[in-house]
């Protein structure tokens, strides 16, 4: 894992912070625009940078909550390839949920089981019970 130089890290973090404020207000479209601006600043080798994990997870989460499952799945599947993404319970949860909603139940089961392995029951606490049931079915 490599940290971005400050000249990139600072503006990316500022855009993430702006996006998070909008996200917290339920303004997912506006938040997504900020997250996409942050993504545009990332170097092309996304899998090398910890910041890629944060940015892609934010994009995936916003897309998931907006109902754009294909785009959510793409962002989160890429986040899994970035530093600490594969071991992040939230990343795996959202990826599994997107896969589930796309009807890809086998892939959903894999990701949701990883979410459970890394975060336990707690990661499913505020989520629809169908996702936790998918873990049981895949086990």
């Amino acid at each position: 894992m490599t940290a971005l130089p400050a000249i990139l890290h600072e503006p990316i973090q500022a855009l993430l912070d702006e996006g998070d404020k909008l996200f917290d207000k339920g303004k997912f479209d506006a938040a997504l625009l900020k997250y996409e601006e942050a993504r545009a600043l990332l170097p092309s080798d996304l899998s090398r940078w910890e910041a890629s994990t944060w940015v892609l997870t934010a994009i995936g989460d916003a897309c998931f909550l907006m109902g754009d499952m294909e785009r959510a799945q793409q962002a989160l599947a890429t986040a899994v390839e970035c530093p600490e993404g594969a071991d992040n319970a939230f990343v795996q949860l959202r990826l599994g949920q997107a896969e589930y909603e796309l009807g890809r139940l086998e892939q959903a089961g894999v990701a949701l089981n990883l979410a459970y392995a890394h975060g336990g029951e707690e990661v499913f606490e505020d989520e629809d019970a169908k996702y936790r049931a998918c873990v049981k079915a895949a086990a």
Side-chain angles (χ1 to χ4, degrees):
M1 166 177 52
T2 305
L4 286 172
I7 196 165
L8 290 175
H9 176 80
E10 290 171 10
I12 289 170
Q13 189 60 56
L15 287 165
L16 282 173
D17 291 345
E18 288 178 49
D20 289 347
K21 287 176 186 171
L22 293 163
F23 185 95
D24 290 344
K25 293 178 182 176
K27 298 178 180 179
F28 304 127
D29 288 338
L32 184 58
L33 290 174
K34 293 296 179 186
Y35 299 149
E36 290 290 356
E37 283 183 58
R39 183 180 186 169
L41 296 177
L42 290 168
S44 61
D45 184 9
L46 294 176
S47 65
R48 186 172 171 206
W49 310 102
E50 185 178 13
S52 298
T53 310
W54 313 327
V55 171
L56 291 166
T57 300
I59 290 170
D61 191 25
C63 289
F64 177 81
L65 293 174
M66 291 168 47
D68 188 346
M69 298 304 159
E70 191 65 46
R71 196 166 165 198
Q73 186 278 337
Q74 290 169 359
L76 294 160
T78 305
V80 166
E81 301 298 322
C82 297
E84 300 178 23
D87 297 330
N88 184 302
F90 183 76
V91 173
Q92 293 290 354
L93 172 70
R94 277 291 189 256
L95 176 59
Q97 291 171 314
E99 295 285 14
Y100 183 96
E101 297 303 331
L102 290 166
R104 302 174 189 154
L105 299 184
E106 187 174 327
Q107 295 94 323
V110 170
L112 292 170
N113 271 297
L114 287 168
Y116 182 80
H118 294 294
E121 290 288 339
E122 189 175 300
V123 77
F124 292 91
E125 194 171 282
D126 296 323
E127 305 300 328
D128 191 306
K130 66 186 177 183
Y131 302 120
R132 180 64 180 95
C134 190
V135 172
K136 291 178 183 175

